[in-house]
Amino acid sequence: VLLCGLWYMSSALSSNTGKAILNQFRYPVTLTLVQFFFVASYCILFMSPIVRFSRFRRPSKEILKSTFYMGLFQVGGHMASSMAISRIPVSTTHTIKALSPLFTVAAYAMLFGVRYSAQTYISLLPLTLGVMLACTFDVSASNPVGLLCAFGSAIIFVSSNIFFKKIMPSGSSTSSHKLDKLNLLLYSSSMAFALMIPIWLFTDLPALMRAVDEPMHVPHPKTGHEAPHSLVYYFFMNGTVHYAQNIIAFVILSSVSPVTYSIASLIKRVAVICIAIVWFSQSVHPVQGFGIGMTFMGLWMYNRAKGDVERGENKVRREEAKREMMIP
């Protein structure tokens, strides 16, 4: 519960500081590149001899291969999300991404042959509908490309969660090719950073060179906080909380199933919206309040069906262990 609370708070701060940056500094590729840089830098700091939360694992062929795919997932998901936000409202993008639990259940059912009970499927309906109502109740379909990018981002992140679960160590155990959480985050964020550089050189760098003389300052919202902050401050805060969001997400994902993680992400999305409402002093529509209530009702229903979800996914892992000649 404490980890989830910290995850929700860091995600909310990451979203709000990112919004503050993009309100003035309209270069989402640069923001994503800087976020990956901060995550990798903090991983190196916490593995340094001064802190030594973990020891650096030397790269191997297996490590580079698995984290390369993870980097591709991260770049693809973030880029698709940025493209969606640039074409359709942020609320619409979040609404579509809130469908991730349905995508996760569908992926396990179609790809791995997992069969869930009717109670599991029914419990996902109020969760998904509740978050959709909490995010927005006016979904615009005016831009098909933006909608496709939002769907693509949700599917990519669901796929990455399943992939992370396959290569992430459970508890404190590691193997020759499985990494602890800090090394896994270091390699994946470094791979994503390296893969983002050519995209940044092609997209944002020319625009930044043309706008080099523009003032680098982010105005704060007219309501709420009164004191403005510099762009450097926002980048530092955003990079720091983005690292916290990622490492906490890895800890949670290593301890629960992908479907449970998706449900936690749904609740996180509601928490981010609620904190953003307070941060920017926004009014709450009654439909949004009703959606938040439906989400918690769906969470209670899902908790009752959680055992069925865990049994189905454990069966997949046992089958994979048999194929790899491993003792379950």
Side-chain angles (χ1 to χ4, degrees):
V1 175
L2 177 60
L3 279 177
C4 286
L6 293 174
W7 188 37
Y8 299 162
M9 182 60 66
S10 61
S11 299
L13 290 174
S14 178
S15 298
N16 288 327
T17 53
K19 180 178 176 63
I21 291 171
L22 292 175
N23 280 343
Q24 178 72 14
F25 188 78
R26 301 183 181 279
Y27 302 98
V29 175
T30 301
L31 175 61
T32 305
L33 185 72
V34 172
Q35 288 174 340
F36 287 139
F37 173 78
F38 265 95
V39 172
S41 299
Y42 273 113
C43 288
I44 294 173
L45 172 64
F46 287 119
M47 287 191 291
S48 65
I50 301 176
V51 182
R52 192 56 63 85
F53 282 167
S54 179
R55 292 182 178 273
F56 174 73
R57 288 279 300 276
R58 293 184 179 276
S60 65
K61 182 178 179 181
E62 292 79 8
I63 290 174
L64 293 177
K65 180 180 178 180
S66 61
T67 53
F68 172 77
Y69 292 123
M70 293 172 65
L72 284 178
F73 278 128
Q74 292 196 46
V75 171
H78 283 290
M79 287 298 298
S81 181
S82 298
M83 292 174 63
I85 292 174
S86 66
R87 288 170 169 81
I88 60 177
V90 176
S91 58
T92 304
T93 304
H94 279 254
T95 298
I96 295 172
K97 292 172 72 173
L99 299 175
S100 58
L102 295 182
F103 295 149
T104 303
V105 170
Y108 269 91
M110 292 186 294
L111 300 179
F112 302 106
V114 178
R115 293 293 179 264
Y116 300 106
S117 66
Q119 184 181 8
T120 301
Y121 295 110
I122 293 173
S123 69
L124 293 175
L125 294 178
L127 273 169
T128 304
L129 180 59
V131 173
M132 290 175 66
L133 292 175
C135 294
T136 181
F137 50 91
D138 184 18
V139 179
S140 173
S142 59
N143 194 306
V145 175
L147 292 175
L148 288 175
C149 289
F151 275 108
S153 176
I155 293 172
I156 290 172
F157 281 124
V158 165
S159 303
S160 69
N161 290 341
I162 296 174
F163 184 77
F164 288 176
K165 192 68 179 180
K166 286 174 65 65
I167 69 171
M168 188 177 294
S170 300
S172 59
S173 62
T174 58
S175 62
S176 60
H177 66 280
K178 287 193 174 185
L179 301 170
D180 62 84
K181 298 171 184 64
L182 268 180
N183 276 281
L184 187 61
L185 191 55
L186 170 63
Y187 275 103
S188 62
S189 58
S190 299
M191 282 289 184
F193 178 81
L195 293 170
M196 283 288 295
I197 290 178
I199 302 173
W200 179 76
L201 292 174
F202 180 76
T203 57
D204 278 8
L205 180 59
L208 284 169
M209 293 179 66
R210 291 193 299 267
V212 68
D213 295 329
E214 293 183 2
M216 302 287 283
H217 189 270
V218 178
H220 217 62
K222 294 181 180 179
T223 58
H225 303 276
E226 296 181 357
H229 299 287
S230 67
L231 189 63
V232 174
Y233 169 85
Y234 274 112
F235 266 113
F236 175 78
M237 288 298 298
N238 181 264
T240 301
V241 296
H242 191 75
Y243 166 77
Q245 173 189 348
N246 276 269
I247 191 64
I248 295 172
F250 270 43
V251 172
I252 294 174
L253 183 57
S254 66
S255 306
V256 300
S257 70
V259 176
T260 303
Y261 177 84
S262 296
I263 300 299
S265 298
L266 275 176
I267 308 302
K268 179 197 74 173
R269 206 173 299 281
V270 174
V272 169
I273 293 170
C274 293
I275 294 175
I277 289 172
V278 176
W279 182 279
F280 294 106
S281 301
Q282 300 172 352
S283 59
V284 180
H285 194 281
V287 177
Q288 290 178 302
F290 178 72
I292 293 173
M294 283 194 64
T295 300
F296 284 102
M297 182 186 70
L299 178 63
W300 175 77
M301 292 175 61
Y302 174 77
N303 283 335
R304 300 189 64 179
K306 186 177 177 181
D308 175 64
V309 177
E310 296 288 352
R311 284 192 296 271
E313 290 164 11
N314 287 335
K315 180 180 178 181
V316 173
R317 286 191 285 271
R318 287 195 299 269
E319 293 297 328
E320 291 177 349
K322 290 179 181 178
R323 288 196 295 268
E324 296 174 6
M325 302 299 291
M326 295 171 57
I327 298 176

